[in-house]
Amino acid sequence: NEPKKPQSSFFLWLNAERVNLALALGDAKVSEIGKLAGIKWGQMTDDDKKSYEEEAVKLSEQYKLAKVGYTRENSAGLGRG
């Protein structure tokens, strides 16, 4: 039940835009969608990326807290016995 690492701002954006990218490319391979995503992300302004970056920071902080709790819970019994 270890917490999963949070997604980066790029992957948060990609999840929101994947359908639009796939529609724009038609029957494209996953690799082609990934290439287009990288290009589009690179062309975005900092303001365009800001909400995704803020969400990534928030998720990262939540992950760190969850990881500390998980580590604490699972190391409490170590060394006994």
Side-chain angles (χ1 to χ4, degrees):
N1 292 339
E2 183 173 356
K4 293 182 181 179
K5 290 185 180 182
Q7 293 183 332
S8 68
S9 55
F10 171 75
F11 281 104
L12 291 170
W13 170 80
L14 181 58
N15 286 337
E17 292 297 317
R18 188 181 317 267
V19 171
N20 293 332
L21 294 169
L23 289 173
L25 291 176
D27 291 333
K29 296 178 182 177
V30 173
S31 60
E32 293 170 340
I33 294 171
K35 286 177 189 176
L36 178 61
I39 291 168
K40 288 195 173 278
W41 179 256
Q43 293 173 341
M44 290 172 63
T45 66
D46 289 344
D47 281 345
D48 293 336
K49 295 178 183 179
K50 187 175 181 176
S51 65
Y52 299 103
E53 291 170 346
E54 289 172 349
E55 181 68 13
V57 168
K58 184 174 100 175
L59 292 172
S60 179
E61 290 171 2
Q62 290 173 355
Y63 167 77
K64 289 175 187 175
L65 290 173
K67 182 73 172 173
V68 168
Y70 173 83
T71 302
R72 201 175 287 146
E73 288 174 8
N74 288 289
S75 64
L78 296 179
R80 295 183 188 172

